[in-house]
Amino acid sequence: MTKRLLVANDLPGIGKVALAASLPILAACQIETAILPTVLLSSHTGGFPAVAVADMAWLVKDYLTQWQQLELTLDGLLIGYCRSAELLEQLQVYAQHENVPIILDPVLGDKGKLYTGFDQDYVASMRQVARQSTILLPNLTEAALLTDSAYLGEDYGRDEIEHLLRKLADFGCQHVILTGVSFDESEIGLAYYDVRQDKISYHMTRQLPYHFFGTGDIVAILVAAIVVENLAFETALPEVLDFLEASLVSTSQLARDVKYGVYFEPHLAKLSQQFEQLRNKG
């Protein structure tokens, strides 16, 4: 049976992040989407000048009201960039009412700092959503903010990561995936905590000498695909990182600024095959 995922995230016209990356990737995974654009942007904000922005929070309530009337069947809700606490609350109430599992990519900050426009009240609202989530997908900064912990910076070991994973699990989620974990300059990847089995594993990929925009969004959308397809994380996460590494290598070989986004298109056919194989195994 075809799965349907609701994706609440921002939509840039230029720069393949958030919804701009999510839709083709989900199509390759043969997952239908319900699209809820939280913010419209002429481009993403990572290095482009004069970005035009339109906050869509005013329209979200009408979206959700119609979808409830349609009795829309959803297998999951991925929450990404929301901009306001009110929007987070609307999504949380909708998920509760429709009994939809939440996959939370708690977009709050990076490199130890909150993103511009967010404050501690917004962090508190994100914690409320985290308590309802099935899966949490923070980076190290977001994990520190959610748990009110010191930011680990770049000098940490497995003990610190595993302590942080367990603090995140206190929100009540079933799975925690900590992104951007790196123990040396050659590798970067994911720390995965299966809360029910009390099992932690690491999934790493090669670290390239560029800052790529949208890698977190790619990981989040593929994790959401794993959830709605009910696939085994231990088997599927290596496939996620294989796709990501191949896409980043292709991006680095392009003669253009990396801010335009990850060049994943040449690898979508293989991704589709990988997900079909994972479904058959499952």
Side-chain angles (χ1 to χ4, degrees), residues 205 215 218-219 239-249 262:
T205 188
T215 55
I218 292 173
V219 170
E239 303 287 2
V240 170
L241 292 180
D242 284 349
F243 171 75
L244 183 59
E245 180 176 336
S247 299
L248 295 183
V249 169
V262 176

Side-chain angles (χ1 to χ4, degrees), residues 10-261:
D10 58 294
L11 178 59
I14 298 295
K16 289 177 289 184
V17 305
L19 280 171
S22 298
L23 299 183
I25 290 173
L26 285 172
C29 297
Q30 300 178 41
I31 294 172
E32 291 186 347
T33 51
I35 305 161
L36 197 153
T38 58
V39 181
L40 300 181
L41 307 97
S42 57
S43 72
H44 71 74
T45 57
F48 289 99
V51 181
V53 180
D55 191 324
M56 302 303 291
W58 61 275
L59 193 57
V60 167
K61 184 177 180 180
D62 291 338
Y63 267 56
L64 299 179
T65 297
Q66 190 217 20
W67 291 351
Q68 286 180 324
Q69 293 171 351
L70 294 174
E71 298 182 354
L72 191 68
T73 300
L74 295 168
D75 299 287
L77 162 59
L78 174 62
I79 298 178
Y81 182 72
C82 282
R83 196 178 177 96
S84 72
E86 291 78 10
L87 200 156
L88 281 174
E89 183 179 356
Q90 288 176 351
L91 291 171
Q92 186 179 6
V93 170
Y94 178 78
Q96 287 176 330
H97 186 271
E98 300 298 312
N99 194 28
V100 179
I102 293 176
I103 304 102
L104 180 60
D105 179 9
V107 180
L108 290 168
D110 200 8
K111 301 186 185 303
K113 297 180 180 180
L114 276 170
Y115 289 133
T116 302
F118 292 161
D119 56 21
Q120 289 303 317
D121 288 339
Y122 187 75
V123 174
S125 296
M126 192 68 77
R127 290 183 185 129
Q128 291 298 321
V129 182
R131 291 186 180 96
Q132 189 184 327
S133 299
T134 300
I135 296 179
L136 291 180
L137 276 157
N139 62 28
L140 291 172
T141 299
E142 291 155 352
L145 290 165
L146 286 173
T147 60
D148 196 21
S149 305
Y151 172 56
L152 293 180
E154 298 180 2
D155 185 18
Y156 52 81
R158 294 196 176 202
D159 287 347
E160 290 90 345
I161 292 296
E162 292 174 14
H163 177 69
L164 189 55
L165 287 169
R166 289 192 163 90
K167 289 189 73 172
L168 288 162
D170 288 341
F171 282 104
C173 54
Q174 297 175 12
H175 306 271
V176 181
I177 299 176
L178 193 57
T179 65
V181 174
S182 178
F183 299 112
D184 60 59
E185 294 181 354
S186 65
E187 290 185 322
I188 190 168
L190 313 172
Y192 165 52
Y193 183 25
D194 184 330
V195 179
R196 292 172 296 183
Q197 298 188 33
D198 192 25
K199 182 180 179 181
I200 294 173
S201 59
Y202 296 89
H203 305 272
M204 310 303 284
T205 188
R206 180 159 47 119
Q207 187 159 199
L208 299 174
Y210 300 95
H211 175 71
F212 297 96
F213 294 94
T215 55
D217 295 315
I218 292 173
V219 170
I221 202 64
L222 287 172
V223 166
I226 291 168
V227 173
V228 300
E229 292 287 3
N230 197 28
L231 304 176
F233 278 93
E234 288 288 344
T235 305
L237 286 178
E239 303 287 2
V240 170
L241 292 180
D242 284 349
F243 171 75
L244 183 59
E245 180 176 336
S247 299
L248 295 183
V249 169
S250 294
T251 307
S252 66
Q253 292 171 346
L254 289 177
R256 75 174 190 191
D257 194 320
V258 293
K259 70 186 178 186
Y260 284 94

